[in-house]
Amino acid sequence: MIIQKTSNSRIGEFDPENIGFGTAFIDHMIVCEYENGKWGEVRLMPYGPLPFTPAMMGVNYGQACFEGMKAYKDKDGEVYLFRPEKNFERINKSAKRLAMPEITEEMFIGGLKALVDMDRNWIPYGEGKSLYIRPLIFATEEALKARIANKYMFAIVATPVQSYYTEPVSVKISDFYSRAASGGVGSAKAAGNYAASFYPTKLAAEEGYEQIIWTDDATHKYFEESGTMNVFVRINDTIYTPPTSEKILDGVTRDSFLQLAKHRGIDVKVEPVEVAKVLEAHSKEELIEVWGVGTAVVTSVFKAIGYKDQKLTLPELSEEESFALTLKKALVDIQTNKAEDPFGWRVKVEKHILETA
Amino acid sequence: MIIQKTSNSRIGEFDPENIGFGTAFIDHMIVCEYENGKWGEVRLMPYGPLPFTPAMMGVNYGQACFEGMKAYKDKDGEVYLFRPEKNFERINKSAKRLAMPEITEEMFIGGLKALVDMDRNWIPYGEGKSLYIRPLIFATEEALKARIANKYMFAIVATPVQSYYTEPVSVKISDFYSRAASGGVGSAKAAGNYAASFYPTKLAAEEGYEQIIWTDDATHKYFEESGTMNVFVRINDTIYTPPTSEKILDGVTRDSFLQLAKHRGIDVKVEPVEVAKVLEAHSKEELIEVWGVGTAVVTSVFKAIGYKDQKLTLPELSEEESFALTLKKALVDIQTNKAEDPFGWRVKVEKHILETA
């Protein structure tokens, strides 16, 4: 690894009591370039602009995928990653589906640890606070032909974040727009999947909904995801979530929720979730909770679900009654080293990794 | 418009007799930036790198769309664009679907004409030669939150091209992968659509096919597009092509072929094209031609079509017998001012636009 430390740290301007989301970047970033069929050396360097022309294939043909993950600080100032090997596996699945070169574990995990260690002073401590980390791969070759690119960049950038208490939101079940095609790239964290969701979400917002529950594009009869999250439904005391497929992202938070629920003896069914079944459960007052899970907010609780002209109100539950909030707390406690970690999910970031390597 | 002429023209290195496709760029480019809810002034400036960080939203969330078009030089050295208003309309349709700001006609048409005029010496003259032009819009804001960006760039870059004689190709009818979801972004020239197609195309190449005929993702029973082109099928003396929809690109070459065919009295049917109907026509020896159309190659003739384990061979036709090649010649003759233009498609690029503006 090539190390280039900044001589102009911006940490003096950083106020851990007053954090936005995703717009202030830590001092350094990881960069590695692919050319002539192989990845070069990983560089840890000051965060900042690099030279790209508008002919860069990444913005022309969308060969670009990413991961979202977090580093947490505990009360003793120790720093942890959460299941980083899952993100490593997934970025390579995404890369493969987009015909991009896969990366090595050393680049991904080694790069992550070096960056997080170097800028550990940027990681805020406290309720809902963490460092949001964005590994990504994108095509950098300059060419105007729709083909697999020959040059790529792997990068890791990061920003301190605060998950403010989020009010329960209203969501709309999509009956026209969709985020993924059968045989498409829905299961990849492909850049293009996100852009495709913005306009339908804007239309839903105009109707008073914060998010869309995406349904299958052919029939709109089955739940797929919600917003940029995996979706869970609780009917009576059973939790349902759709199985992952080439259309549904294999979310790390989704998998962790499933394991935590099983560990607590909650009845979990991973099976197709039919819109009609959810509506019927609501009419019988058996629809207890519906929520989304993802790295950024951990859990987004839904207070109402729109379907065509109906708006179904969901019960308000206390933290003890709610599976969503109980599982969220259990997960966050493991992430932030407030609880035992029977699953071996936490990965400690040792200090001075680079000096001792 | 802000004009910044290069002081280091690279045109001395450019050999119009030895042109690649899409990797040598003309001296200048158009750039315009969007911020605080509005587009700034258009700049005509030297082609080259601009500063972007890996947190640029365009490569993280895929808000990026483009157009493909060409400028042609006639025997007298006059320069023409082809139906640029169609590309202008379409880039704004793409922008809208991706929740990006639309651009003005002055930015698009004015920028195009100024750039093409400034670098008109880069436009090669002769059979199959032209200047390939790439207008694009992409999100430039640095932020790690999946939301509509606040900053964008509109740019136009261009490269001299030579359409070499292209051998007829073999194409595979997709029965698993797909390029567009119902309610998705297939009709937009969204960057992400292209990346999604590369891996399935690579798999088809491993089976000996150059392209994929994309079918509807739900049933794979209907033709949608072929490769990055619209698809035409000729059964006996009738031409069929699927209607445009939110899944199928409204191609300028497609529309021009339809108008040219009707103008010549060829029977044209714009209706869903069923895979079964194409296979049946082949078995009756009534499947005469299948081809793709698009700006880059104008026409790609298919010599064989793969479907599951079958490989259907298509007849070899002379240029006179082939509707595909007859219509291609008619179109190129209009584009390059070798023929009358009864449709009013050619748009002449006047000299010294900027001086006289």
Side-chain angles (χ1 to χ4, degrees):
Chain A
M1 194 177 291
I2 299 165
I3 312 290
Q4 188 193 345
K5 279 183 83 163
T6 184
S7 52
N8 285 301
S9 174
R10 290 171 280 101
I11 198 159
E13 302 157 26
F14 169 59
D15 175 6
E17 298 310 314
N18 193 7
I19 305 173
F21 188 110
T23 48
F25 294 89
I26 63 174
D27 278 333
H28 297 88
M29 64 182 178
I30 292 285
V31 164
C32 185
E33 292 182 82
Y34 181 94
E35 198 172 354
N36 300 319
K38 60 179 191 296
W39 288 105
E41 200 166 350
V42 173
R43 278 180 290 161
L44 196 167
M45 61 186 291
Y47 173 82
L50 300 168
F52 298 112
T53 79
M56 173 171 57
M57 292 176 82
V59 292
N60 282 271
Y61 304 114
Q63 271 189 300
C65 63
F66 69 91
E67 280 300 319
M69 48 199 307
K70 284 178 173 174
Y72 307 88
K73 195 171 263 179
D74 75 6
K75 63 177 175 21
D76 302 321
E78 295 292 348
V79 171
Y80 299 91
L81 296 170
F82 183 73
R83 307 185 75 184
E85 73 288 354
K86 294 282 285 178
N87 300 91
F88 168 63
E89 284 164 21
R90 193 172 59 185
I91 201 169
N92 276 342
K93 277 188 200 162
S94 297
K96 188 177 177 189
R97 181 59 183 86
L98 298 172
M100 300 165 78
E102 296 178 36
I103 59 175
T104 66
E105 189 168 351
E106 192 192 340
M107 286 166 66
F108 189 88
I109 304 285
L112 266 177
K113 286 183 173 175
L115 178 66
V116 168
D117 177 38
M118 172 75 84
D119 281 342
R120 62 170 60 231
N121 292 338
W122 282 88
I123 307 173
Y125 167 68
E127 183 84 24
K129 292 180 182 173
S130 60
L131 181 71
Y132 181 83
I133 307 169
R134 167 60 49 84
L136 73 157
I137 311 174
F138 57 101
T140 55
E141 187 185 354
E142 291 168 53
L144 300 183
K145 191 163 190 181
R147 58 157 168 78
I148 296 170
N150 293 312
K151 295 181 189 175
Y152 298 88
M153 180 173 283
F154 165 63
I156 309 178
V157 294
T159 175
V161 292
Q162 160 94 60
S163 293
Y164 297 98
Y165 167 73
T166 42
E167 288 283 342
V169 297
S170 298
V171 298
K172 178 85 195 273
I173 297 175
S174 184
D175 57 7
F176 176 73
Y177 290 105
S178 52
R179 72 172 281 288
S182 296
V185 297
S187 71
K189 277 189 93 75
N193 290 344
Y194 294 82
S197 73
F198 294 163
Y199 178 72
T201 304
K202 192 171 80 167
L203 295 182
E206 288 165 11
E207 290 184 68
Y209 295 98
E210 280 90 351
Q211 277 177 36
I212 289 176
I213 293 186
W214 301 104
T215 48
D216 68 292
D217 77 308
T219 69
H220 298 290
K221 285 185 180 166
Y222 295 92
F223 279 26
E224 289 190 340
E225 299 188 12
S226 183
T228 58
M229 300 183 295
N230 290 112
V231 64
F232 284 78
V233 172
R234 175 181 168 190
I235 297 174
N236 293 322
D237 281 337
T238 301
I239 294 176
Y240 298 85
T241 194
T244 57
S245 69
E246 93 277 14
K247 302 172 76 179
I248 297 180
L249 194 79
D250 184 7
V252 179
T253 312
R254 172 188 179 278
D255 182 75
S256 305
F257 260 65
L258 288 175
Q259 290 197 49
L260 281 166
K262 285 175 192 163
H263 192 70
R264 286 166 175 259
I266 296 171
D267 188 29
V268 174
K269 291 203 168 127
V270 177
E271 61 181 42
V273 176
E274 214 174 337
V275 174
K277 178 176 174 156
V278 174
L279 301 178
E280 192 197 340
H282 183 267
S283 71
K284 291 184 185 167
E285 299 188 355
E286 292 174 355
L287 183 65
I288 314 298
E289 296 180 77
V290 186
W291 70 94
V293 304
T295 294
V297 299
V298 188
T299 298
S300 176
V301 170
F302 303 157
K303 65 178 178 191
I305 296 181
Y307 182 65
K308 301 195 189 281
D309 292 334
Q310 297 174 270
K311 191 164 185 173
L312 315 178
T313 306
L314 290 166
E316 276 181 59
L317 303 182
S318 69
E319 212 170 304
E320 290 68 37
E321 292 167 326
S322 163
F323 284 176
L325 296 176
T326 304
L327 293 170
K328 176 184 182 177
K329 185 175 185 307
L331 179 60
V332 170
D333 283 354
I334 292 175
Q335 288 171 329
T336 56
N337 195 23
K338 284 185 182 168
E340 286 299 303
D341 175 16
F343 308 97
W345 286 340
R346 274 196 304 268
V347 174
K348 189 170 170 179
V349 179
E350 300 296 343
K351 285 175 188 158
H352 312 301
I353 291 168
L354 295 167
E355 285 84 344
T356 58
Chain B
M1 193 176 293
I2 300 165
I3 312 291
Q4 187 194 345
K5 279 183 82 162
T6 183
S7 52
N8 285 301
S9 173
R10 290 172 281 100
I11 199 160
E13 300 157 27
F14 169 60
D15 176 6
E17 299 309 316
N18 194 5
I19 305 174
F21 188 110
T23 49
F25 294 88
I26 63 174
D27 277 332
H28 297 88
M29 63 181 178
I30 292 285
V31 164
C32 184
E33 291 183 81
Y34 181 94
E35 198 172 353
N36 300 318
K38 61 178 193 294
W39 287 105
E41 199 165 352
V42 174
R43 278 180 292 159
L44 196 167
M45 62 186 288
Y47 173 82
L50 299 168
F52 298 112
T53 78
M56 172 171 58
M57 291 175 83
V59 292
N60 282 270
Y61 304 115
Q63 270 189 300
C65 63
F66 69 90
E67 281 300 320
M69 47 200 307
K70 285 179 173 173
Y72 306 87
K73 195 171 264 178
D74 74 5
K75 64 177 175 23
D76 302 319
E78 294 292 347
V79 171
Y80 299 90
L81 296 170
F82 183 73
R83 308 185 75 184
E85 74 287 354
K86 295 282 286 179
N87 299 92
F88 168 63
E89 284 164 22
R90 192 171 61 184
I91 201 169
N92 276 342
K93 276 189 200 162
S94 298
K96 188 176 177 191
R97 180 60 183 84
L98 297 173
M100 300 165 78
E102 295 178 35
I103 59 174
T104 65
E105 189 167 350
E106 191 192 340
M107 286 166 65
F108 190 88
I109 305 285
L112 267 177
K113 286 183 173 174
L115 179 66
V116 168
D117 177 38
M118 172 75 86
D119 281 342
R120 62 169 60 230
N121 291 338
W122 283 89
I123 307 172
Y125 167 69
E127 183 85 25
K129 291 179 183 173
S130 61
L131 182 70
Y132 181 83
I133 306 169
R134 166 60 51 83
L136 73 157
I137 311 174
F138 57 101
T140 54
E141 187 185 356
E142 290 169 54
L144 300 183
K145 191 163 189 183
R147 59 158 168 78
I148 295 170
N150 293 311
K151 296 181 189 174
Y152 297 88
M153 179 173 284
F154 166 63
I156 310 178
V157 294
T159 175
V161 292
Q162 161 94 60
S163 293
Y164 296 98
Y165 166 72
T166 41
E167 288 283 339
V169 297
S170 299
V171 298
K172 179 85 195 272
I173 297 175
S174 184
D175 56 7
F176 175 73
Y177 289 105
S178 52
R179 70 172 283 287
S182 297
V185 297
S187 71
K189 275 188 94 74
N193 290 345
Y194 295 81
S197 74
F198 294 162
Y199 178 72
T201 304
K202 192 171 79 167
L203 295 183
E206 287 165 11
E207 289 184 70
Y209 295 99
E210 280 90 353
Q211 276 178 37
I212 288 176
I213 292 186
W214 301 104
T215 49
D216 67 294
D217 76 310
T219 69
H220 299 291
K221 285 185 181 167
Y222 295 92
F223 279 24
E224 290 190 339
E225 299 189 10
S226 183
T228 58
M229 300 183 294
N230 290 113
V231 64
F232 284 77
V233 172
R234 174 181 169 190
I235 296 174
N236 293 323
D237 281 337
T238 302
I239 293 176
Y240 298 84
T241 195
T244 57
S245 69
E246 93 278 14
K247 302 173 76 179
I248 297 180
L249 195 79
D250 183 6
V252 179
T253 312
R254 172 188 179 279
D255 182 76
S256 305
F257 260 66
L258 288 175
Q259 291 197 49
L260 282 167
K262 285 175 192 162
H263 192 70
R264 285 166 175 259
I266 297 172
D267 188 29
V268 175
K269 291 203 168 124
V270 177
E271 61 181 42
V273 176
E274 213 173 339
V275 173
K277 178 177 175 157
V278 175
L279 301 178
E280 192 198 339
H282 184 269
S283 71
K284 291 184 185 165
E285 298 187 356
E286 292 173 357
L287 183 65
I288 314 299
E289 295 179 79
V290 186
W291 70 94
V293 304
T295 294
V297 299
V298 188
T299 298
S300 176
V301 170
F302 303 156
K303 66 178 177 190
I305 296 180
Y307 182 66
K308 300 195 190 279
D309 292 334
Q310 296 172 269
K311 192 164 184 173
L312 316 178
T313 305
L314 290 165
E316 275 181 60
L317 303 182
S318 69
E319 212 170 302
E320 290 68 38
E321 293 167 325
S322 163
F323 284 175
L325 296 176
T326 304
L327 294 170
K328 176 184 182 176
K329 185 175 183 310
L331 179 60
V332 170
D333 282 354
I334 292 175
Q335 289 170 329
T336 56
N337 195 23
K338 283 186 182 166
E340 287 299 303
D341 175 15
F343 307 97
W345 286 340
R346 273 195 306 266
V347 174
K348 189 169 169 179
V349 179
E350 300 296 342
K351 284 175 189 159
H352 312 300
I353 291 168
L354 296 167
E355 285 84 343
T356 58

